[in-house]
Amino acid sequence: MTVIGIVGLPGSGKSEAANVAADMGVPVVTMGDVIRQECRDRGLDPASDHGRIAQALREENGPGAIAERSLPLIEDELAESDTVLVDGIRSDVEVEAFREAFGESFLLIEVDAPFELRAERLDLRGRDDMNDESGESLTDRDERELGFGMGEAIEMADVTIENTETLAAFQRKVRTLLREGAEEIER
Ligand SMILES: Nc1ncnc2c1ncn2[C@@H]1O[C@H](COP(=O)(O)OP(=O)(O)OP(=O)(O)O)[C@@H](O)[C@H]1O
């Protein structure tokens, strides 16, 4: 059994890493799904209330609340698959929740790219964070994520993948690591 968590600043390549996993047949649990479900349970619209409900969940049930609520989703996938990838980790408290639940079977991967590359790539996909409706710059987004504890989560990573070359090169690195990481843990 291997549970792989992904951390990294906005635009570093976390979703692309998750896509590689999915293409390899590795199920991906998205922590945002927990928040979207909670919005629906409260009769709210995930599109507009996502941020507020994420915050409410953490305030009401503690900073590890979203990680804890994603545990049953991960367990469900582990019943069918030996390896599961978790996307959406935001803080050290969440990393600790996964380490506690899965022990040595939890592998935390950091995806890293410099600010300028991340800014350029986020513009490329038409999600122009420098000029979007919220007016939030990438600097502000970085600060917001770091405020949740992303910096501490990144420091806890077991492995770092640098995403500074082509997308194909990054995808190759992720594929190799998903294979070798799983083997290393199962040894
Ligand atoms: N090596 C690369 N070369 C070119 N484009 C890339 C590369 N890696 C990622 N991208 C593109 O950069 C954008 C950001 O990547 P991705 O969505 O995976 O980041 P993320 O870490 O999930 O970001 P966020 O935190 O904003 O969700 C995407 O459009 C992705 O296709």
Side-chain angles (χ1 to χ4, degrees):
M1 169 184 95
T2 309
V3 178
I4 294 172
I6 300 272
V7 288
L9 288 171
S12 55
K14 300 181 295 292
S15 308
E16 291 292 354
N19 290 343
V20 171
D23 287 348
M24 290 170 74
V26 171
V28 177
V29 170
T30 305
M31 291 167 71
D33 287 348
V34 170
I35 301 162
R36 279 183 280 277
Q37 186 56 52
E38 184 68 17
C39 289
R40 285 189 289 269
D41 290 350
R42 297 187 188 200
L44 300 169
D45 178 6
S48 51
D49 296 306
H50 196 275
R52 194 162 64 79
I53 294 307
Q55 197 182 343
L57 272 173
R58 293 187 178 105
E59 276 166 12
E60 290 162 18
N61 305 295
I66 297 160
E68 277 147 27
R69 284 179 183 223
S70 50
L71 291 179
L73 305 179
I74 298 169
E75 299 285 0
D76 280 355
E77 296 294 353
L78 284 171
E80 307 283 326
S81 170
D82 196 53
T83 306
V84 174
L85 185 137
V86 185
D87 191 17
I89 296 174
R90 286 284 185 287
S91 73
D92 48 336
V93 178
E94 293 177 338
V95 174
E96 276 157 14
F98 292 128
R99 287 223 195 284
E100 193 177 320
F102 303 111
E104 294 287 298
S105 301
F106 183 71
L107 182 77
L108 188 65
I109 299 180
E110 174 200 3
V111 182
D112 183 48
F115 182 90
E116 290 306 326
L117 262 182
R118 292 188 291 113
E120 204 177 289
R121 287 170 184 170
L122 286 169
D123 287 351
L124 269 181
R125 70 174 164 184
R127 232 178 71 179
D128 187 343
D129 282 358
M130 311 298 277
N131 304 293
D132 72 0
E133 280 167 21
S134 71
E136 193 179 33
S137 69
L138 183 57
T139 308
D140 291 345
R141 256 198 86 188
D142 278 4
E143 266 168 30
R144 185 158 56 85
E145 297 273 337
L146 291 168
F148 292 140
M150 179 57 95
E152 287 83 356
I154 287 172
E155 279 170 21
M156 293 167 87
D158 300 296
V159 193
T160 300
I161 307 183
E162 295 294 342
N163 182 11
T164 49
E165 294 160 52
T166 63
L167 185 55
F170 177 64
Q171 289 165 334
R172 265 197 304 277
K173 285 192 200 176
V174 175
R175 260 196 302 274
T176 304
L177 201 136
L178 284 175
R179 280 195 213 107
E180 288 179 1
E183 280 160 18
E184 192 184 301
I185 275 182
E186 279 158 16
R187 224 187 293 143

